[in-house]
């Protein structure tokens, strides 16, 4: 892994690396509400909207689960983006209990992550195009579509992911695409641009290094 992907900074989908995590049961609808329903998480049409001067809010995870169910049953009309949770305070908010729910793949660096993020959203929601440090993203439930750009082409966008993928930007000739399924872990190297759209209601965790 180090020679093929980590050192040359090549993204890769690690199929099945998240299978068997305790989160598979604990992050079911009932499990999330029971364990973490009271926890407040960041919600918006894009990831961390307030970073870009856009409105966002914090909602209880129980409310986020219920809202995702409603949005999955009755998707908002285009171009209105569904709201989703993407939260980087989840470790503190859960007293670090969130870390007991998953095990990092053996290829992950020995050093602890600098950031742990939790995501939950209905179909057609997801993270806008952006880039940052290297991440391992485990998908516990659902299915996601990834669009990736090499560092030389990476940039930040405030356009919600469904609208972005349908636009000229989503047809960039150097975009790379893949589908992540429940139980897979996606490795995205430092400074690689990526936008991610949920194809089904999706629950996952991100560790940034």
């Amino acid at each position: 892994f180090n020679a093929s992907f980590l050192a040359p900074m090549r993204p890769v989908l690690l199929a099945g690396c998240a299978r068997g995590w305790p989160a598979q049961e604990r992050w079911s609808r009932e499990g999330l509400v029971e364990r973490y329903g009271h926890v407040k998480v960041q919600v918006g049409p894009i990831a961390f909207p307030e970073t870009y001067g856009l409105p966002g809010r914090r909602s209880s995870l129980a409310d986020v689960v219920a809202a995702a169910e409603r949005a999955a049953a009755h998707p908002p009309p285009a171009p209105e983006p569904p709201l989703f949770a993407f939260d980087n305070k989840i470790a503190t908010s859960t007293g670090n209990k969130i870390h007991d729910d998953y095990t990092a793949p053996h290829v992950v660096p020995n050093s602890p992550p600098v950031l742990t993020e939790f995501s939950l959203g209905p179909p057609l929601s997801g993270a806008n195009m952006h880039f940052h440090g290297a991440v391992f993203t485990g998908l516990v439930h659902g299915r996601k579509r990834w669009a990736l750009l090499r560092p030389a082409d990476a940039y930040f966008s405030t356009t919600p992911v469904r609208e972005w993928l349908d636009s000229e930007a989503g047809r960039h000739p150097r975009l790379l695409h893949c589908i992540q399924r429940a139980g897979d872990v996606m490795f995205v190297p430092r400074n690689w641009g990526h936008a991610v759209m949920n194809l089904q209601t999706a629950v996952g965790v991100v560790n940034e290094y």
Side-chain angles (χ1 to χ4, degrees):
F1 179 85
N2 288 347
S4 298
F5 302 105
L6 194 60
M9 294 178 57
R10 294 174 57 202
V12 64
L13 184 71
L14 304 170
C17 278
R19 291 176 189 157
W21 283 0
Q24 286 186 301
E25 179 178 345
R26 296 176 185 176
W27 295 4
S28 65
R29 181 198 184 284
E30 296 78 11
L32 278 173
V33 171
E34 179 181 349
R35 293 174 66 85
Y36 306 123
H38 64 286
V39 172
K40 299 283 188 177
V41 292
Q42 177 72 51
V43 177
I46 62 174
F48 307 122
E50 293 166 350
T51 303
Y52 305 96
L54 301 174
R57 66 173 188 266
R58 297 190 73 79
S59 299
S60 73
L61 199 46
D63 287 345
V64 171
V65 169
E69 287 185 329
R70 292 193 298 270
H74 304 286
E80 181 183 347
L83 301 182
F84 74 110
F86 200 85
D87 188 80
N88 62 3
K89 296 180 173 64
I90 193 69
T92 302
S93 300
T94 62
N96 286 317
K97 290 181 180 178
I98 197 83
H99 294 307
D100 297 334
D101 297 341
Y102 66 94
T103 304
H106 69 278
V107 296
V108 170
N110 291 327
S111 57
V114 298
L115 200 61
T116 296
E117 298 161 321
F118 174 85
S119 66
L120 189 159
L124 304 178
S125 68
N128 43 304
M129 173 57 68
H130 64 291
F131 62 93
H132 43 58
V135 294
F136 288 84
T137 299
L139 185 59
V140 178
H141 299 295
R143 195 158 52 99
K144 292 176 178 281
R145 174 184 173 185
W146 286 75
L148 300 107
L149 285 169
R150 291 174 173 83
D153 297 315
Y155 64 98
F156 288 92
S157 172
T158 58
T159 304
V161 65
R162 172 169 62 162
E163 182 181 349
W164 186 87
L165 285 168
D166 287 340
S167 72
E168 189 67 28
R171 294 185 287 275
H172 192 290
R174 290 185 292 278
L175 266 179
L176 303 177
H177 297 271
C178 73
I179 302 297
Q180 183 183 22
R181 295 171 173 81
D184 294 346
V185 174
M186 184 74 186
F187 168 62
V188 181
R190 176 172 53 87
N191 292 337
W192 272 73
H194 52 287
V196 191
M197 186 172 74
N198 297 328
L199 302 177
Q200 300 171 331
T201 298
V203 187
V205 63
V206 181
N207 277 350
E208 182 175 343
Y209 294 86

